[in-house]
Structure formats: C-alpha cells, structure tokens
Amino acid sequence: MSPDSPVDVDELRQEIRRKYDAMVEDPTASFHFHTGRRALANAGYEESWFEGLPTDTIDSFAGVASPFHWGMLRPGEHVVDVGSGAGTDCLIAARAVGTEGSVIGVDMTSAMVATARAAADLADITNVEFEEGYAEALPVADGWADVVISNGVINLVPDKDAAYREIARVLRAGGRIQIADICVDREVSEGAKRDIDLWSG
C-alpha cells in the first residue's frame, strides 16, 4: 500500500481484473451491478446508438450512466475513453466522429481489451483502437484529444488526482470531458476506504 492510497493498488487492480474477466467469460452471470442491454437502457442510451454492434460488446457493457448525456460527439473529433471496457462507448463514439475522427480506448483488463478489439473488427469500425493501460498513465500523446470520456471507472482509481492530471495532459487546449461516474455527497469512512470489495464494485 502506498502512502497516498488507502488500499493496496496492486491488490485492487487484481480484484478488478478478476471481476471483469468473469464478466467477459459469462456476461449473463449475476453481478452486483447491471450489465448489457438492461444497463444501457437504465443509463438512457438510445437503441440506435448500439444497433448492429456485436453482441459480446453489448452483453459485457457495465457503465453506470451515459457520457453522451452532455451531447453526442462531433464529426472529426479525437476521443479518449478512460476505462473503455468491452468497447461499447468507443464504438458508439467512433461512429459519431466518423472517418475523419479517431477514438482510443484504454483499459487495464486484457480480456476487455481483446473483446473490444474483436468487436471493432466484427463491426468493421476502423477509426478506433484499444490499448492496455492505466487511467493514471494513459498511453496517449499530450494534447491529442478533443474529448475525454469515461463511464464508471474513475471511482475505481485510488489516485484520482493522477487520473485527472492525465486527462488534462491528453486534452488539447479548449478540449472537454464527458464523464459518467458514481459520486457521494458525504465523507467516506476510513473502514470503507480500505475495503477492496467496495472499491472494485
């Protein structure tokens, strides 16, 4: 455990990988969060946004809300998705920005990255790429992005300041963020801060 984190970061990352590997293996299994079409509907996604996308990426969706609530992405934009999971938001984004735009999805879970890459191939969406990496060290060039999106991932990162510094680094001047996540309006107890299960949930 680092002095800046209330939990062991390596242990937390392993637990997150375990949970999301299990989702890729069987997205119909019971999880303590909604997944797939039910989660998309709950989050207010329009069916037309994911129409024709591969079943695997839809079934493995586990976002908490919609980063597109603040507006759909514009043609030609460069987009980074922090914690891209099975790639649903990235594929929606790639369609929105068109062939003149580009999307990079970053996720720390190898199984999710593989699922997302396969989904992009199946959907013949070529203006998106998926990289394995951490929110605290995005494999993206300085100032590359017009927009950074994220869906239910920043809450999983112990060093949120580092994650937001990286978001600021990869954004161009005047760029914007569209983040959907879980927030609380009261102080979290020390015991809760040290509970890996609560972090990885």
Side-chain angles (χ1 to χ4, degrees), residues 45-95:
Y45 282 67
E46 297 180 18
E47 283 202 30
S48 60
W49 294 350
F50 55 88
E51 185 177 324
L53 295 183
T55 301
D56 283 352
T57 195
I58 294 171
D59 289 347
S60 298
F61 175 81
V64 300
S66 172
F68 310 116
H69 170 81
W70 293 274
M72 187 46 74
L73 304 169
R74 303 163 192 154
E77 289 189 313
H78 287 184
V79 182
V80 173
D81 185 358
V82 179
S84 50
T88 311
D89 285 336
C90 282
L91 298 183
I92 292 170
R95 284 176 165 176

Side-chain angles (χ1 to χ4, degrees), residues 4 10-11 28 32 47 56-57 67-68 74 85 96 109 117 119 130 135 138 140 150 152 162 164 168 173 182 188:
D4 299 324
D10 290 335
E11 183 182 350
T28 65
H32 65 276
E47 283 202 30
D56 283 352
T57 195
F68 310 116
R74 303 163 192 154
T109 308
R117 286 174 176 165
F130 296 94
L138 296 170
V140 180
S150 188
Y164 279 106
I182 297 169
V188 178

Side-chain angles (χ1 to χ4, degrees), residues 94-177:
R95 284 176 165 176
V97 301
T99 55
E100 297 301 311
S102 187
V103 179
I104 299 174
V106 180
D107 200 271
M108 58 169 274
T109 308
S110 299
M112 284 291 189
V113 170
T115 298
R117 286 174 176 165
D121 287 344
L122 282 170
D124 196 27
I125 296 175
T126 58
N127 61 331
V128 62
E129 61 184 89
F130 296 94
E131 302 293 341
E132 194 167 341
Y134 299 116
E136 306 95 321
L138 296 170
V140 180
D142 294 359
W144 181 86
D146 298 295
V147 191
V148 174
I149 64 174
S150 188
N151 194 343
V153 172
I154 303 298
N155 72 89
L156 301 176
V157 179
D159 191 346
K160 291 172 179 43
D161 287 346
Y164 279 106
R165 281 194 297 270
E166 278 295 275
I167 289 171
R169 179 186 65 77
V170 303
L171 271 174
R172 66 166 177 79
R176 67 190 188 280
I177 61 173

Side-chain angles (χ1 to χ4, degrees), residues 5-24:
S5 174
V7 292
D8 184 296
V9 174
D10 290 335
E11 183 182 350
L12 174 60
R13 287 173 174 168
Q14 288 172 8
E15 181 63 14
I16 291 170
R17 286 190 183 100
R18 185 188 68 76
K19 286 186 176 179
Y20 288 93
D21 284 352
M23 181 188 297
V24 169

